[in-house]
Amino acid sequence: QVTAKTAFLFILPQYNVSVPTADGELVQYHYGLKDLVTILFYIFIAIILHAVVQEYALDKINRRLHLSKVKHSKFNESGQLVAFHLTSVIWCLYVVVTEGYISNPRSLWENYPHVYLPYQVKFFYLCQLAYWLHALPELYFQKVRKEEIPRQLRCISLYLLHIAGAYLLNLTRLGLILLLLQYLAEFFFHMARLVYFTDENNEKLFNVWAVVFVVTRLFTLTLYILVIGFGLPRVESQALDPERGNFFSFLFNNILFRMSVLLLVCLFQASVMWRFIHFQLRRWREYWNEQSSRKRAAAPAGTKQQTKLLKRDSGYHENGVVKAENGTSPRTKKLKSP
C-alpha cells in the first residue's frame, strides 16, 4: 500500500477535490507542486515513445530513401512532430468537444477563474508540458546540429511559455482552443515536409498548409479579441484574488490595458504572417527559377546549332556566293605563290 500511494503520485494527477453540483458531487482538480513529480514521470514516457517512433518507423523509412545528413535530420524532426501533432489534435479536439467549449464559446470566460479542472483537461496539460520538456534532452540524444539548436530551443521555449502560462493563470479553456489551432497548422506543415523529402516534385501539401495556416491565424486573432476584448472585462469578480486564482481579470476593466494587450497580440500575429508571406514568396521564386532552368535544359540541340549558324553568317546567299549586307561581294582571298 505504501508503494501504491507513491506510484499514484507519479502516474495520476494530484490535488483532486469534490465540487458540489445539482446532480451530486463532481471530482475536479487544481494544480500544485506535486504536479512536477507527475510531469517528471511522463517525461520518461515521452522519451521512450520518441525512441519507439524513431526505431520502428523513421529509421526504416530513412534506410530506403538514402537522404543526406541535413535532410535526414529534418526528416526525423518532422516525423516525430507529425506523430505528436496528430495525437494532440485528436486528443485536444475530443476534450474541447466533450467539455462543450466549442458549442458554448461563452464558457471560455464565464465563471473565470477556472481553478478547478476536469480530469482530462489537467491530464492533457501535464502531458503537453512533459512532451516539450522531454524535447530538451532529445536535442542531445538526436545529435542535433549546432546551427539548428537555437531555432529548436526558441520553439520549445515558446510552447512551454504558452502552455505553462495558460495552466498557471487558469486560462486552460482558451489555451486548449489555441493549441488545437496551432497544432493543426503545424501538422500539415510537417506532413508536407515529409512528402517533399520522399518526392521533391510533390509540393501540393505545402499549398494545403498555406490555406490552413491563414485560416487558423484568423481564428486565433478573432478568439483573442473575443475573449480579451469582450469576455474577460464582463467577469463578475474583477478584484485581484490570488488565493482564488484571479490574477489579472481586474486589469481588463481598464480599457487602456485591454487595448495595449490587443495591440501586442495583433503585432505578434502580424509578425507571424509577415514571416509566412516571406517564406511563400521565396518558395515561389525558387519554384519559378527551377521551372525556367528546366525549360532551358530541355531546349532541342538543333535549335541551338541553327542559332549559331545564323549568327555566324551575317550576310545572305546569291548564286552560291555570300553577299554582305550592303550587296557587295566579299573580298576574295589572295592565293600565295608556290
Side-chain angles (χ1 to χ4, degrees), residues 13-15 29-36 38-39 112 114-129 159-176 179 245 247:
Q14 303 299 309
Y15 302 104
Y29 297 81
H30 60 95
Y31 60 80
L33 290 177
K34 292 181 181 179
D35 290 341
L36 297 176
T38 310
I39 292 173
Y112 178 84
H114 307 130
V115 179
Y116 299 114
L117 308 175
Y119 171 82
Q120 59 180 354
V121 174
K122 175 164 183 174
F123 188 61
F124 177 82
Y125 270 93
L126 294 180
C127 290
Q128 291 294 313
L129 291 171
Y159 273 113
L160 286 173
L161 178 65
H162 284 79
I163 296 171
Y167 184 64
L168 296 175
L169 297 176
N170 302 311
L171 291 169
T172 50
R173 300 181 182 182
L174 176 62
L176 281 173
L179 277 178
F247 294 101

Side-chain angles (χ1 to χ4, degrees), residues 262-276:
L262 288 176
L263 179 61
L264 289 175
V265 169
C266 292
L267 289 176
F268 176 76
Q269 295 299 324
S271 66
V272 172
M273 286 299 299
W274 169 251
R275 289 197 299 269
F276 168 77

Side-chain angles (χ1 to χ4, degrees), residues 208-260:
V208 177
W209 163 71
V211 175
V212 174
F213 181 86
V214 173
V215 172
T216 53
R217 289 303 99 190
L218 291 176
F219 271 104
T220 299
L221 185 59
T222 304
L223 199 61
Y224 271 118
I225 295 174
L226 182 65
V227 175
I228 295 176
F230 300 98
L232 289 177
R234 298 181 180 181
V235 173
E236 295 180 0
S237 177
Q238 294 289 347
L240 176 64
D241 191 358
E243 294 183 358
R244 293 187 62 251
N246 194 342
F247 294 101
F248 53 80
S249 66
F250 72 99
L251 293 174
F252 290 98
N253 241 358
N254 187 339
I255 187 171
L256 182 61
F257 177 81
R258 187 162 69 247
M259 295 304 295
S260 300

Side-chain angles (χ1 to χ4, degrees), residues 13 26 63 82-83 102 124 132 145 186 189 205 249 283 297 321:
L26 181 64
R63 293 191 195 101
V82 161
I102 293 181
F124 177 82
W132 290 110
R145 296 183 303 156
E186 289 290 314
F189 173 73
L205 268 181
S249 66
R283 188 169 72 90
V321 180

Side-chain angles (χ1 to χ4, degrees), residues 285-303:
R285 186 168 56 249
E286 292 174 354
Y287 173 77
W288 288 114
N289 290 338
E290 184 180 354
Q291 292 295 321
S292 61
S293 62
R294 286 181 179 179
K295 289 180 180 179
R296 288 195 299 267
T303 305

